[in-house]
Amino acid sequence: MNWLQRWVPHPLFAGFLLLLWLLMNEFSFAHLLLGAVLAVVISRVTQPFWPERSKVKHPGKLLRYLGRLLIDILKSNLIVARRILFYSRQLEPGFFTYPLALTDDFAVTMLASTISLTPGTVSAHYNREGRCLLIHCLHLEDEAALIKDIRERYELPLQEIFDD
């Protein structure tokens, strides 16, 4: 373990905290310095609560995944708004179980977060023993098609990014 890993055990988390701090405050050198100190301290203090470290095997694929996620969030916002405004009486909300192929806990968390961030779907429960997610969908027409879409758009890329 080198000196940087000792001081900043979770650099992505610390970077996210610093970015969040700078977005919430007017930019100045003092805020940059204070945000960096807080990011390092919070990263170190919370280290015992983090599970084993996940390794991003392909950072380029992670960036592509995040880009796809942002586009999907925008599209889903428009679809959900249209359904609520014009077709609200035809909505068929429902729950379904999504079987997981992911083995990395962080990747499962990323998938559950992705599902919840995308308007129209919410990840409601993770069954670790059964290796599945319970998902609520605002308009559930075809469960098999939705499972296939989640697997192809999100789970398979996350497997490439995190799993061996």
Side-chain angles (χ1 to χ4, degrees):
M1 180 183 275
N2 64 27
W3 68 271
L4 183 60
Q5 287 175 328
R6 247 189 317 275
W7 278 95
V8 187
H10 303 284
L12 289 176
F13 178 61
F16 172 73
L17 290 175
L18 175 60
L19 178 65
L20 193 62
W21 180 263
L22 292 174
L23 288 172
M24 291 190 313
N25 294 290
E26 188 175 317
F27 183 79
S28 69
F29 181 73
H31 278 295
L32 177 66
L33 186 61
L34 181 59
V37 168
L38 286 172
V40 169
V41 168
I42 291 171
S43 178
R44 289 193 59 173
V45 168
T46 61
Q47 183 180 3
F49 303 108
W50 286 70
E52 74 230 23
R53 294 180 69 136
S54 292
K55 299 277 189 220
V56 174
K57 309 285 190 288
H58 303 281
K61 290 182 180 182
L62 177 61
L63 291 175
R64 197 165 52 233
Y65 178 84
L66 293 174
R68 172 183 284 167
L69 177 59
L70 288 175
I71 290 169
D72 286 353
I73 288 171
L74 291 173
K75 285 181 184 177
S76 295
N77 270 307
L78 295 173
I79 291 168
V80 167
R82 189 182 81 199
R83 282 187 177 150
I84 289 173
L85 291 174
F86 302 112
Y87 306 105
S88 62
R89 295 188 193 275
Q90 298 168 354
L91 290 177
E92 297 178 25
F95 285 93
F96 67 97
T97 302
Y98 180 83
L100 290 166
L102 292 170
T103 57
D104 184 89
D105 285 339
F106 188 72
V108 172
T109 302
M110 289 276 295
L111 178 63
S113 298
T114 295
I115 290 167
S116 295
L117 282 171
T118 308
T121 54
V122 175
S123 177
H125 178 71
Y126 169 50
N127 182 340
R128 177 174 272 169
E129 290 80 31
R131 304 290 310 148
C132 62
L133 290 173
L134 179 64
I135 299 172
H136 181 267
C137 185
L138 180 66
H139 185 65
L140 184 59
E141 288 177 303
D142 185 358
E143 181 178 327
L146 190 53
I147 288 172
K148 182 179 179 226
D149 191 45
I150 290 172
R151 184 162 326 282
E152 290 174 0
R153 293 192 69 74
Y154 305 121
E155 189 175 25
L156 290 176
L158 285 171
Q159 273 184 314
E160 292 176 3
I161 293 166
F162 291 103
D163 286 349
D164 289 327

